[in-house]
Amino acid sequence: MPETITLGHVLTALAALAALYGLVQFAVSMRYTGPGHGRGTPGYARARDAKRYTIWGAAAVLLFFALAWLTPLGRIPLS
């Protein structure tokens, strides 16, 4: 355990949560992809939205990791 918890640690935890969210949305998109879920059906809309949220989740993961480990912002102690 580090002596002080930094903003980088918090941002890394947020990145892990965003990754989990992206994985759940990816699973939803895979569930509603396939036969029986053609264009114009609610399943198609769910799959399309889940793919969009998966991309947003991946972008959030990259942003949080970049802020945490590639900028000085990640070295700010919280305590």
Side-chain angles (χ1 to χ4, degrees), residues 12-79:
T12 302
L14 286 175
L17 288 175
L20 182 63
Y21 174 76
L23 286 174
V24 168
Q25 290 300 322
F26 180 73
V28 169
S29 73
M30 289 292 104
R31 179 178 180 188
Y32 291 107
T33 301
H37 299 291
R39 292 183 70 92
T41 62
Y44 179 82
R46 283 187 195 108
R48 183 193 62 220
D49 291 343
K51 286 177 190 173
R52 185 178 309 131
Y53 296 146
T54 300
I55 293 169
W56 278 108
V61 168
L62 292 175
L63 176 69
F64 287 144
F65 269 131
L67 286 175
W69 300 109
L70 300 177
T71 65
L73 187 65
R75 290 186 287 277
I76 297 174
L78 293 179
S79 57

Side-chain angles (χ1 to χ4, degrees), residues 5-17:
I5 295 182
T6 64
L7 192 55
H9 294 112
V10 174
L11 289 171
T12 302
L14 286 175
L17 288 175

